[in-house]
Amino acid sequence: MRALVAAAIGLVPVLLLVLLLAVADLAPEGETSPRPLLTTVPGPKR
């Protein structure tokens, strides 16, 4: 039971920080890469 209470107390500041960042919109803006990712697998070496 003590472990659950300790885990809950430990999670509270983390959850508050996440909520603060979400509300304040301080998360960095994401950008897409101008170059596409490689999606093909190279063939076998001969």
Side-chain angles (χ1 to χ4, degrees):
M1 188 66 168
R2 288 183 186 179
L4 283 175
V5 172
I9 290 173
L11 283 177
V12 167
V14 174
L15 292 175
L16 288 176
L17 181 62
V18 169
L19 287 174
L20 177 65
L21 288 175
V23 169
D25 199 26
L26 296 176
E29 291 292 325
E31 295 180 8
T32 58
S33 173
R35 294 174 29 183
L37 296 174
L38 297 176
T39 56
T40 58
V41 177
K45 293 183 179 180
R46 295 184 182 192

